[in-house]
């Protein structure tokens, strides 16, 4: 059976700008930290895979001193872990509120793929609790149970390393040549391709201008009836109109093939 593996943030929902960013900033405020990320600053932070890793990027000697943090590596690691646990709680609350809807076409494609018997999974560098909250919102509780979930610190190296996709393919017992990844970032594309997988990209607000040279398809979103999907790059001439269907993803698996 074919498999489709979704990234989470920016693919299932536009969670970076409206979920993660406010959750980070509320966490910083609650812990009395001298930082608030603007949308522009966070646009740079999203290039760092993983929430704890983004937090660790703050830990310059000057910041550690200003914030009154411990200087030992182990103690700092415990501090960051506390920050990240609280940030995850805040983020899950935002998702549970229903404030961030699924991106266009996501629920439709999931339903189509499930009905056709496709293998379903999500692979993300975000915390598993965060990923599951978004997945349940995007897919619905019943369909979410059909998914394999690969998230958080389950691999040593995060995207753009291929580890998370290698783990997902192995865990799903999926055929690499019949597996397509849906990503929104160049880091995700690099990870998928390094794992030998075909990758389609649905750009998000923070990633539209990134390099997607090796993608099999780049669109504004998967789209839904009543909306038009903008085709940004279509190297195999798929021409999905007016939106991307499951049959289009299947066709990409046949025409794009697996990378060398």
């Amino acid at each position: 059976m074919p498999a489709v593996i979704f990234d989470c943030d920016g693919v299932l929902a536009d969670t970076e700008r409206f979920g993660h960013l406010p959750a980070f900033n509320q966490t910083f405020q609650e812990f009395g930290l001298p930082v608030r990320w603007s949308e522009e600053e966070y646009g740079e932070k999203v290039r760092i895979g993983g929430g704890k890793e983004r937090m660790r990027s703050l830990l310059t000697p000057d910041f550690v001193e200003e914030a009154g943090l411990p200087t030992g590596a182990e103690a700092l690691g415990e501090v960051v872990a506390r920050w990240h646990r609280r940030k995850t709680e805040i983020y899950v609350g935002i998702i549970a509120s229903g404030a961030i809807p699924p991106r266009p076409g996501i629920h439709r494609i999931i339903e189509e793929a499930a009905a056709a018997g496709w293998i379903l999974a999500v692979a993300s560098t975000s915390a598993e609790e965060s990923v599951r909250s978004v997945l349940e919102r995007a897919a619905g509780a019943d369909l979410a149970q059909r998914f394999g979930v690969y998230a958080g610190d389950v691999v040593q190296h995060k995207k753009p390393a291929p580890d998370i996709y290698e783990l997902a393919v192995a865990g799903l017992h999926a055929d690499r040549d019949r597996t397509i990844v849906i990503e929104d970032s160049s880091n995700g594309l690099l990870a998928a391709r390094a794992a030998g997988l075909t990758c389609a990209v649905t750009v998000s607000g923070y990633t539209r201008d990134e390099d997607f040279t090796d993608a099999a398809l780049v669109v504004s979103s998967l789209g839904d009836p009543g909306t038009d999907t903008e085709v940004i790059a279509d190297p195999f001439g798929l021409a999905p109109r007016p939106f991307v269907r499951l049959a289009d993803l299947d066709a990409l698996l046949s025409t794009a093939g697996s990378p060398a």
Side-chain angles (χ1 to χ4, degrees), residues 114-239:
W118 282 41
I119 300 167
L120 299 167
V122 60
S124 172
T125 57
S126 290
E128 182 175 343
E129 184 181 0
S130 296
V131 171
R132 288 188 181 278
S133 67
V134 178
L135 175 61
E136 185 160 327
R137 170 72 175 159
D142 290 340
L143 284 177
Q145 295 179 20
R146 296 273 300 270
F147 276 72
V149 176
Y150 302 87
D153 297 325
V154 291
V155 292
Q156 182 176 359
H157 303 292
K158 296 187 177 181
K159 302 173 188 178
D163 301 32
I164 193 74
Y165 285 119
E166 295 282 5
L167 179 67
V169 169
L172 297 168
H173 303 290
D175 181 343
R176 198 177 299 265
D177 291 342
R178 294 293 290 156
T179 298
I180 189 164
V181 170
I182 311 297
E183 270 285 356
D184 78 307
S185 71
S186 59
N187 275 350
L189 170 63
L190 289 170
R193 293 298 283 166
L197 303 174
T198 299
C199 183
V201 172
T202 61
V203 297
S204 61
Y206 277 125
T207 67
R208 187 180 180 95
D209 296 328
E210 293 182 3
D211 182 3
F212 296 117
T213 300
D214 206 23
L217 178 70
V218 184
V219 292
S220 57
S221 72
L222 296 176
D224 274 318
T227 65
D228 288 327
T229 293
E230 177 188 359
V231 179
I232 300 168
D234 186 16
F236 297 98
L238 191 66

